[in-house]
Amino acid sequence: MAAELDFSPPEVPEPTFLENVLRYGLFFGAIFQLICVLAIILPISKSHKTDSDNFEFKSSEVVKKPKVAAPQLSKKPKKETKKKR
């Protein structure tokens, strides 16, 4: 009875080129997604904050001109056509 049991590993074919591309593509895609999620979760660095402070300072110096009201074009009501069935 011991001679009938075969404990050798099953024969597994070598993965093809496309299977390898798919495997590694999914692997790198998962790493990319983790990096993107971590970039959202982690706080913003101070160097980026100073840039936004400079932008606020510059925008307060700019004098805004009042907008002139554009002449309104005459609006004609659209004719509704009934569909023939």
Side-chain angles (χ1 to χ4, degrees):
M1 185 161 195
E4 295 175 7
L5 296 177
D6 186 19
F7 291 112
S8 64
E11 294 182 19
V12 179
E14 288 291 320
T16 62
F17 176 73
L18 292 177
E19 290 173 343
N20 283 333
V21 169
L22 181 64
R23 180 187 304 138
Y24 291 117
L26 290 172
F27 179 71
F28 288 123
I31 291 174
F32 179 75
Q33 285 183 353
L34 289 174
I35 291 171
C36 291
V37 168
L38 288 175
I40 292 171
I41 293 174
L42 296 178
I44 300 172
S45 66
K46 291 182 180 179
S47 64
H48 181 66
K49 223 176 197 181
T50 58
D51 292 342
S52 64
D53 292 342
N54 292 339
F55 177 74
E56 291 173 4
F57 180 70
K58 290 178 183 177
S59 64
S60 64
E61 293 177 353
V62 176
V63 178
K64 294 182 179 179
K65 296 180 182 178
K67 293 183 178 180
V68 178
Q72 294 184 2
L73 301 174
S74 60
K75 295 182 180 178
K76 296 180 182 177
K78 294 182 179 179
K79 295 181 180 179
E80 294 181 12
T81 58
K82 295 183 178 179
K83 294 182 180 178
K84 296 180 180 178
R85 293 186 179 196

